Amino acid sequence: MSAVSLRRLVMPLLALLALAYLVAMVLTGAQPVLRQLVTFEAKGVLSIEPEAVQKITLGRGGRQVVLTRRGEGGWTLDGGGAVEAAVATRLDTAVKMLHRSGPVREIAPQELSGVDTRPFGLEEPVVVAALAGPGGKGLTVRFGALNPEGFLQYMRIDGDPKVYLMSRFIGAEWAAASEGVTAR
């Protein structure tokens, strides 16, 4: 065989091998495993699922509002009356953030001994949210001042001696929801 006829055979032979490889992949049905994807795991302070929260009591500036979940994607004021859709969306987002977003830092009580915690703003919190699920199970969180850099916000959970540093966006969502409800 001459060199020219060998070159003519190599290209179709390579194409045939590639086609055979593709057919083998289809027949085995094995999908490639994407190892770079990580399964989601909620790391927030709210242990129950966001959809299980049935009642929220919001406190801000001495005023308190009680909200009850009404079916899919809606909230009602305890005294009657619906909550606007935009405010209901903010409430749902705030609850989801508490469930999904973990604290950036947990400050143990030992670290706080001898420290003036008044600048944390937890004695007079910006907003207080008490969440209750089935059987009254839930938690109460108190959002205080922003940290000196302004990126994080101090938060305390009733019954827990730790102080948490949370993303400021979580507290901001609760404050916006509270303003939306009380602005009515």
Side-chain angles (χ1 to χ4, degrees):
M1 284 181 117
S2 70
V4 173
S5 63
L6 268 175
R7 286 188 186 146
R8 279 188 170 171
L9 285 177
V10 169
M11 291 307 268
L13 186 60
L14 287 175
L16 186 62
L17 282 172
L19 185 61
Y21 178 72
L22 289 174
V23 168
M25 282 178 39
V26 169
L27 292 177
T28 61
Q31 295 291 319
V33 177
L34 300 175
R35 290 184 182 92
Q36 75 271 19
L37 297 179
V38 178
T39 56
F40 172 75
E41 182 182 334
K43 297 186 184 209
V45 295
L46 179 64
S47 60
I48 62 175
E49 289 296 320
E51 296 78 23
V53 174
Q54 297 300 313
K55 190 175 190 177
I56 298 175
T57 305
L58 281 176
R60 184 178 172 105
R63 189 148 187 256
Q64 191 169 314
V65 178
V66 179
L67 302 132
T68 307
R69 188 182 292 273
R70 143 192 117 205
E72 296 280 327
W75 294 89
T76 58
L77 294 168
D78 210 27
V83 174
E84 293 177 19
V87 176
T89 300
R90 282 202 177 273
L91 283 167
D92 288 335
T93 302
V95 171
K96 287 176 186 173
M97 289 173 112
L98 268 185
H99 177 68
R100 296 176 180 161
S101 303
V104 175
R105 180 168 181 231
E106 296 178 15
I107 305 173
Q110 299 85 344
E111 293 180 66
L112 296 172
S113 65
V115 175
D116 181 17
T117 59
R118 284 179 293 174
F120 296 172
L122 296 169
E123 284 78 19
E124 294 179 24
V126 175
V127 65
V128 177
L131 294 81
K137 181 182 175 187
L139 83 153
T140 300
V141 293
R142 299 173 185 280
F143 290 95
L146 297 178
N147 73 333
E149 293 83 19
F151 295 114
L152 303 173
Q153 188 169 17
Y154 295 101
M155 183 191 81
R156 179 165 268 153
I157 299 172
D158 283 7
D160 187 349
K162 295 181 221 161
V163 172
Y164 297 90
L165 276 169
M166 303 291 285
S167 169
R168 72 183 177 126
F169 300 110
I170 298 171
E173 198 66 28
W174 281 106
S178 178
E179 286 174 15
V181 171
T182 56
R184 299 189 77 226

